[in-house]
Amino acid sequence: MTSVPAAKRKRVAMNRKKAWRKYSNIQDVEDFLEEQRQQLRTGGLASEKSNEALFFEDKTAHRKGQKKSASKSTKPRGPIQHKVDLRIRPHPRVPPIPKALPRQERRKSSRVLQIQAQERKGIYSENKQKRLDEAKQQRTLATGNRKREKELLDERKATFDLWDCDMVKKIKKSGIEADEHFLRQTKKTPAKLPPRYQDKPSKFPAVEIIAPGASYNPSLEDHQDLVNATYEIELKKQKAEEKLDRWHKIPKLSAKQAQATYIDEMSAGLFHDDENQKGDAEDVEGEKGLLPNPPTTFENRKTKKRKRKERALKEKEKEMKAEKRLKIRQNEVYRLRSIAKEMEKEKADAAIEREKRLQREKEREKIPKSLGHHKLEEEPMVIKLSDELVGSLRQLKPEGNLLRDRYKSLQKRNIIESRVWKRGGKAKYKEYEKKSHKEITS
């Protein structure tokens, strides 16, 4: 019989944590910990228990060599107990879990018992009655919604014969005669769009027609009207600039005057004159003579009798004001006609205000909206002066920029926000001569 050679022990360097985790044998430690956990589950650690808890004296044991007498009355054997079933049986050394005591109900106060008795009779408080009414209203709405949904479902159900051709609606679309369902599924019928799908963001036309005076060969009246309109626009701009200049106008001073003013401003408050000192002394004396509350003397002090009279006067005045308000409220019953007239007047004023608001909204539609941080700047009107007019298209010089005109039109129609249009300049290239080329040419 040949002996099997023993496996060669693998030599591993154990000076790294990686080798410890991979090649260390910790099975004995895991067995020890598992045994400790088993002891804790079954009554506690054996090392901490006393000898009486671990061992017991068997007093029924027979002496050595003595045979046990066989009993004639043998008890019937019970069902066979398997070892697997022992694991689910309660352990004799593990105490059972204590049963939770029933929670004692708190004794209700007399006020709570009184409220419950009133609620049994159908008498509820104001807040609870309000909540009950709201809950009832919600239940009614929910019932109505469910009923309405059920009716809609019933309407959607097919209540006609599917194979009856006369019940199917026939539609003729682009030379095809078929039912509505077939055309919808084959994308022959257009989808139903939202009601405001076709609404444009602005009422401005995409292409604005310029004034007739801007033509290459306009009439005299049209050209003069355009010149006058342009003049008015330029005059408004000039007035706005002049107003701004007046606000920011700085007086011109010579260098000597500016230096003197600077010295006076910087030295203000450093030196006191005699007159200022006298004025300050008088102010101090005047301030000392004034007190926030004058001293109370024996003659003008408030006694209890005087305070009681003032309190009675205040209460009487309060009662008189309340009676007056009550009389005014009672007299309003006799002025029902005037109240009706006032209500009619308020309705008429509200209708007028509504019309004005609608008119303002219509006018606001003609004004471009401010969608961004910048304000829309109108382009200057294209105009040719009288000496620049020509009668032939060959000699006409084009003005304006078509791309810029379309760009401003998009901003005016609220399609894009107002922006600052910056024209990008061409990059300046640096010219230099290569060293190698320079050496060759020289």
Side-chain angles (χ1 to χ4, degrees):
M1 185 176 180
T2 59
S3 61
V4 179
K8 190 175 181 180
R9 184 173 175 273
K10 191 172 183 180
R11 300 181 66 84
V12 181
M14 301 294 287
N15 59 347
R16 297 288 187 272
K17 284 187 177 181
K18 186 176 181 182
W20 297 352
R21 296 190 186 100
K22 190 171 181 181
Y23 298 105
S24 296
N25 187 9
I26 58 171
Q27 186 62 34
D28 53 347
V29 179
E30 290 181 354
D31 294 343
F32 173 73
L33 294 175
E34 182 63 30
E35 185 180 356
Q36 274 195 345
R37 286 193 287 268
Q38 180 66 20
Q39 290 178 8
L40 288 172
R41 286 196 298 269
T42 57
L45 295 173
S47 60
E48 298 177 359
K49 292 183 180 180
S50 61
N51 293 337
E52 289 78 7
L54 292 173
F55 307 102
F56 67 95
E57 185 180 356
D58 189 5
K59 297 182 179 180
T60 60
H62 296 277
R63 296 178 183 178
K64 188 177 180 182
Q66 187 179 0
K67 294 182 180 180
K68 187 178 178 181
S69 60
S71 59
K72 294 181 180 179
S73 61
T74 57
K75 292 182 180 180
R77 294 179 63 184
I80 300 172
Q81 294 183 357
H82 299 283
K83 195 171 182 179
V84 180
D85 300 334
L86 295 176
R87 295 184 180 275
I88 61 176
R89 292 182 63 188
H91 199 277
R93 297 184 184 276
V94 179
I97 300 171
K99 187 177 180 182
L101 297 174
R103 187 175 180 180
Q104 295 182 357
E105 294 183 359
R106 294 179 61 183
R107 186 178 178 183
K108 298 178 180 177
S109 62
S110 59
R111 176 62 181 166
V112 174
L113 295 173
Q114 184 181 359
I115 291 172
Q116 289 180 354
Q118 290 179 355
E119 288 179 355
R120 283 194 292 272
K121 293 179 183 179
I123 303 171
Y124 301 99
S125 62
E126 185 178 354
N127 291 335
K128 191 164 185 179
Q129 186 66 38
K130 186 177 179 181
R131 291 197 300 269
L132 290 173
D133 294 342
E134 290 177 356
K136 186 177 179 181
Q137 188 177 3
Q138 293 292 334
R139 287 196 298 272
T140 307
L141 290 174
T143 306
N145 291 337
R146 285 197 295 270
K147 188 176 180 181
R148 203 175 299 110
E149 289 176 1
K150 188 177 179 182
E151 291 176 356
L152 290 174
L153 289 174
D154 294 339
E155 290 177 1
R156 292 172 188 169
K157 290 180 181 178
T159 56
F160 56 88
D161 189 3
L162 184 62
W163 307 107
D164 190 2
C165 299
D166 297 336
M167 298 296 292
V168 181
K169 185 179 178 181
K170 294 289 184 179
I171 300 175
K172 191 171 183 180
K173 189 77 176 179
S174 64
I176 303 172
E177 186 177 357
D179 60 312
E180 186 180 0
H181 176 74
F182 174 77
L183 294 175
R184 195 185 305 115
Q185 294 298 324
T186 54
K187 308 298 182 185
K188 297 294 182 182
T189 56
K192 188 178 180 181
L193 299 176
R196 298 190 63 182
Y197 185 79
Q198 299 293 344
D199 290 355
K200 295 182 179 180
S202 176
K203 302 297 182 182
F204 283 104
V207 179
E208 296 183 28
I209 300 174
I210 61 174
S215 175
Y216 76 99
N217 190 14
S219 62
L220 181 61
E221 293 80 6
D222 295 339
H223 188 261
Q224 289 300 319
D225 293 341
L226 184 61
V227 170
N228 292 333
T230 310
Y231 173 74
E232 293 292 336
I233 293 171
E234 293 297 329
L235 189 62
K236 286 182 181 178
K237 288 183 181 179
Q238 186 178 358
K239 286 183 179 180
E241 291 177 0
E242 290 176 357
K243 185 178 180 181
L244 192 63
D245 291 339
R246 285 197 302 272
W247 274 98
H248 298 281
K249 191 174 181 181
I250 301 173
K252 295 180 180 180
L253 300 174
S254 63
K256 190 175 181 180
Q257 291 175 346
Q259 183 66 19
T261 306
Y262 176 77
I263 292 172
D264 292 341
E265 290 177 355
M266 293 295 104
S267 61
L270 296 178
F271 307 102
H272 294 282
D273 299 334
D274 296 337
E275 296 178 358
N276 294 338
Q277 289 179 359
K278 290 179 181 179
D280 295 343
E282 292 176 359
D283 293 342
V284 171
E285 290 177 0
E287 290 178 358
K288 287 182 179 178
L290 295 175
L291 294 175
N293 293 322
T296 305
T297 60
F298 182 80
E299 290 78 10
N300 61 1
R301 67 185 181 87
K302 283 189 178 181
T303 59
K304 291 184 178 180
K305 184 178 180 181
R306 185 177 173 184
K307 291 179 181 178
R308 188 167 59 252
K309 285 183 178 181
E310 289 180 358
R311 197 182 308 116
L313 287 173
K314 287 182 180 179
E315 291 179 357
K316 188 175 181 180
E317 187 178 358
K318 190 175 180 181
E319 290 176 0
M320 290 174 64
K321 287 181 179 179
E323 289 178 1
K324 187 176 180 180
R325 286 197 298 269
L326 183 61
K327 286 181 181 180
I328 291 171
R329 193 179 301 171
Q330 290 176 352
N331 290 333
E332 285 180 354
V333 179
Y334 303 105
R335 52 183 295 271
L336 293 176
R337 292 183 180 179
S338 59
I339 291 173
K341 289 181 180 179
E342 291 176 2
M343 292 175 64
E344 290 178 359
K345 185 180 179 182
E346 288 179 359
K347 289 181 180 179
D349 294 342
I352 294 170
E353 187 63 30
R354 193 182 305 110
E355 292 178 0
K356 289 181 180 179
R357 187 172 64 253
L358 294 174
Q359 186 66 24
R360 286 196 299 269
E361 290 178 359
K362 289 181 180 178
E363 292 176 357
R364 203 178 294 120
E365 290 178 355
K366 301 177 182 179
I367 303 172
K369 297 180 181 178
S370 57
L371 304 177
H373 299 288
H374 301 285
K375 191 176 180 181
L376 178 64
E377 296 181 1
E378 295 286 345
E379 285 293 302
M381 296 179 66
V382 178
I383 183 173
K384 287 184 176 294
L385 301 178
S386 301
D387 54 350
E388 296 176 352
L389 291 174
V390 292
S392 174
L393 286 173
R394 293 175 181 272
Q395 301 175 358
L396 183 66
K397 293 181 180 180
E399 292 187 6
N401 190 346
L402 185 60
L403 179 60
R404 192 172 185 85
D405 179 62
R406 293 296 87 211
Y407 182 74
K408 288 291 181 180
S409 177
L410 292 174
Q411 291 181 355
K412 191 180 292 186
R413 289 182 287 147
N414 303 324
I415 297 175
I416 60 173
E417 72 278 7
S418 300
R419 307 171 185 173
V420 178
W421 191 25
K422 296 181 180 179
R423 295 180 179 179
K426 292 184 179 181
K428 295 180 180 180
Y429 296 101
K430 186 177 180 182
E431 296 181 358
Y432 62 94
E433 190 176 1
K434 287 187 178 181
K435 187 176 180 182
S436 58
H437 181 69
K438 187 176 182 181
E439 291 175 355
I440 295 169
T441 55
S442 62

